[in-house]
Amino acid sequence: MGAFNVVKVERTCPSCNETVELRVQFKYGDTWQYEYRIGDRLRWGGNDTGKPGAKRVVVYGIDEHCPYCGLEEGDYEVWLENDVIVSVQPSTGAYDFVNTQEVYIVVEQ
Ligand SMILES: [Zn+2]
């Protein structure tokens, strides 16, 4: 994926039941290994990907493996509203990032 950012979410691993910090990589905003949490506002003004200030955006995310059991669940959706991370959820399949080759989709301008 090259340079990316990470959003960290605390949750229970569905495989080993440990409380883990899920790390989801995504490309949006100034893409430079920044680490965010839900509720954070993305930085802009460097290696930018995306459209600053878009109202609602869904960004393609990939999880890093569970540090306890190695589980990798695959694709995630990182939801942004006005450049703030509002949620991170496993991919619903409603947005096709693979065939479109896009790393983000502006849902509402
Ligand atoms: Zn695990």
Side-chain angles (χ1 to χ4, degrees):
M1 247 181 133
F4 54 83
N5 295 323
V6 171
V7 55
K8 300 190 286 189
V9 186
E10 199 150 285
R11 62 123 193 209
T12 303
C13 174
S15 174
C16 65
N17 287 318
E18 292 282 353
T19 301
V20 297
E21 196 163 65
L22 176 71
R23 294 168 57 88
V24 175
Q25 303 176 0
F26 68 98
K27 268 184 127 159
Y28 200 81
D30 180 8
T31 305
W32 196 252
Q33 259 75 9
Y34 292 121
E35 297 201 343
Y36 293 108
R37 290 185 180 278
I38 289 170
D40 286 346
R41 181 174 293 276
L42 299 184
R43 294 177 176 86
W44 293 97
N47 185 30
D48 291 354
T49 298
K51 296 185 171 69
K55 203 166 182 186
R56 266 165 65 78
V57 179
V58 57
V59 183
Y60 176 63
I62 303 174
D63 70 335
E64 298 180 357
H65 64 83
C66 171
Y68 294 97
C69 71
L71 179 73
E72 273 182 73
E73 289 180 279
D75 300 350
Y76 277 77
E77 292 171 4
V78 179
W79 282 89
L80 307 172
E81 285 182 17
N82 304 306
D83 298 335
V84 175
I85 300 170
V86 293
S87 76
V88 177
Q89 61 180 62
S91 175
T92 58
Y95 301 94
D96 187 353
F97 295 105
V98 176
N99 287 324
T100 58
Q101 301 276 304
E102 298 289 350
V103 293
Y104 69 91
I105 294 168
V106 176
V107 177
E108 205 177 330
Q109 292 283 351

